[in-house]
Amino acid sequence: MNGKSILLIIGGGIAAYKSLELIRLFKKSGANVRAVLTKAGAEFVTPLSVSALTAEPVYQDLFDLDDEAQMGHIQLSRIADLIVIAPATADLMAKMAHGLANDLASTVLLATDTKVLMAPAMNVRMWEHPATQRNLAQLEADGITRIGPDEGDMACGEFGFGRMAEPEAIFNAARDLLAGETTGPLSGKHILITSGPTHEAIDPVRYIANRSSGRQGAAIAKALASLGAKVSYITGPVNIAAPHSVTTIKVQSAQDMFRAVNEALPADAAIFAAAVADWRVDCQGDENRKIKKQKGRMPVFNFCENPDILASISALPTNKRPPLVIGFAAETDHVLPNARAKYKRKGCDWLLANDVSGDVMGGDNNQVTLLSPDGEESWPLMSKDDVAKRLATKIAKALSKP
Ligand code: C5P
């Protein structure tokens, strides 16, 4: 941590007292710490204690002339190598999830493109409330890393999840995040993953797309990186943030994606989670000119087949083929029979079948069945993050075998 710059945001919760110990740990490791203390945070720890421990002024008010003169809020959001929020209260999480910027802490968080680690702390009911869980899902999708909360007795007398992680655990998580998470069972492994939809141009302004949100693929990329893998995340156009600690390659069409996959090889494993368009418009006219509307005359499009990326990579010679190739089968009906046929046809090693007849596309949860040479394994309905973690752990196990 030597020489690293940490911006610590202290929210208003009883756990704020632990943030003083956290500052001490950061300082001991050689990091520079600047702190933003929210109005509510200052009810629990004094600016004097924070300033004495950080050996820096404490930043409290968005409209404080002295603070702004010393270091403006935009600058404050940019100088850090890592932003740590401890405690991250329900209120701070809600503001962040919705992009509010009505005090110094939330403004800094909206203005930054730095990695953010948050340590939530709140009453168990507040933590379990659907609103907080919705906000959490949004923040994780936005690429914010979370540590805790832990389970245990709380200051309010209740028991459950809501206690802030211990300062040492937050410190370790911050250190790993700064180190680019190079440790873990997948360290040294390169894994590529395709994700999201593809856009197939009709003309310069129109395209054919599909409803894939890319959330399952992004969750898998994140889970692999958190196990130490070097991840090439090849994504079609999506509205979600790319996970931290992965190499993001943005593409538009299936052909672009195919090219990017080949450029990213060699890899120890390749996962094809993208919803690739099977066809593209065989553009007869000038691809740089918008097709004009002609009264009473409908355009007729011819389609041609896109490359099947999964099948092509599965069919590569052994010296080029990633040793573990994983496909997806998103089906609306006859899920398993269709998936079994696809598994044979594509030539991949594993295939994850999922039913997309409900709100899976764009939703939070997924129910998958893993087809592999070991047989069929049906996983219960779980969050896309949990599917990702379970898959990443399985991949780590498979790649550790000689
Ligand atoms: O044939 P289908 O689109 O149902 O196959 C789904 C699987 O194949 C997914 O893993 C998807 O990412 C992959 N795929 C591909 N290239 C295509 C079509 C599908 O890699 N052109």
Side-chain angles (χ1 to χ4, degrees), residues 194 272-274 276-278 306-310 327-328 342 345-346:
T194 67
F272 296 92
V276 187
D278 293 313
N306 267 330
D308 189 320
I309 310 172
L310 171 63
F328 271 78
K342 199 165 290 182
R345 201 168 62 236
K346 300 270 186 177

Side-chain angles (χ1 to χ4, degrees), residues 25 112 122 153 176 287 294:
L25 291 172
T112 193
M122 66 198 72
D153 289 320
D176 289 351
E287 60 186 41
Q294 285 180 301

Side-chain angles (χ1 to χ4, degrees), residues 10-12 37-47 60:
I10 305 173
L37 186 59
T38 66
K39 200 158 176 255
E43 300 288 334
F44 293 91
V45 291
T46 68
Q60 289 186 270

Side-chain angles (χ1 to χ4, degrees), residues 30-81:
N32 303 313
V33 186
R34 286 191 180 85
V36 169
L37 186 59
T38 66
K39 200 158 176 255
E43 300 288 334
F44 293 91
V45 291
T46 68
L48 190 62
S49 319
V50 176
S51 172
L53 286 167
T54 56
E56 292 278 348
V58 180
Y59 298 87
Q60 289 186 270
D61 192 352
L62 184 56
F63 301 111
D64 185 304
L65 277 182
D66 286 343
D67 277 4
E68 280 294 302
Q70 280 211 28
M71 186 172 298
H73 60 279
I74 298 295
Q75 200 187 352
L76 201 55
S77 72
R78 303 285 158 82
I79 42 108
D81 296 303

Side-chain angles (χ1 to χ4, degrees), residues 10 41 103 163 188 193 201 239 247 273 280 330 332 362:
I10 305 173
D103 61 7
R163 281 169 66 92
I193 175 160
N239 291 318
T247 304
R280 66 179 180 277
T332 53

Side-chain angles (χ1 to χ4, degrees), residues 63-221:
F63 301 111
D64 185 304
L65 277 182
D66 286 343
D67 277 4
E68 280 294 302
Q70 280 211 28
M71 186 172 298
H73 60 279
I74 298 295
Q75 200 187 352
L76 201 55
S77 72
R78 303 285 158 82
I79 42 108
D81 296 303
L82 176 70
I83 296 182
V84 179
I85 317 170
T89 59
D91 179 63
L92 260 176
M93 285 176 59
K95 278 184 185 166
M96 238 194 310
H98 294 277
L100 296 185
N102 57 0
D103 61 7
L104 181 59
S106 52
T107 306
V108 162
L109 286 163
L110 194 62
T112 193
D113 57 359
T114 306
K115 288 180 190 175
V116 177
L117 170 69
M118 66 171 180
M122 66 198 72
N123 166 274
V124 59
R125 301 269 169 273
M126 291 169 78
W127 174 250
E128 287 171 355
H129 195 283
T132 304
Q133 291 301 310
R134 263 197 316 272
N135 293 334
L136 174 66
Q138 184 60 57
L139 293 172
E140 293 194 329
D142 291 347
I144 286 175
T145 309
R146 164 169 70 100
I147 167 118
D150 293 346
E151 192 180 29
D153 289 320
M154 306 211 205
C156 54
E158 290 186 41
F159 179 88
F161 281 97
R163 281 169 66 92
M164 188 170 89
E166 290 306 319
E168 201 149 326
I170 303 174
F171 172 82
N172 288 340
R175 191 195 45 208
D176 289 351
L177 210 54
L178 280 172
E181 314 219 25
T182 47
T183 55
L186 284 173
S187 73
K189 303 288 184 199
H190 173 221
I191 303 187
L192 74 83
I193 175 160
T194 67
S195 183
T198 61
H199 283 184
E200 306 297 330
I202 294 173
D203 65 20
V205 292
R206 304 180 178 99
Y207 58 82
I208 296 172
N210 61 66
R211 292 185 198 284
S212 167
S213 65
R215 291 176 70 171
Q216 184 62 79
I220 296 169

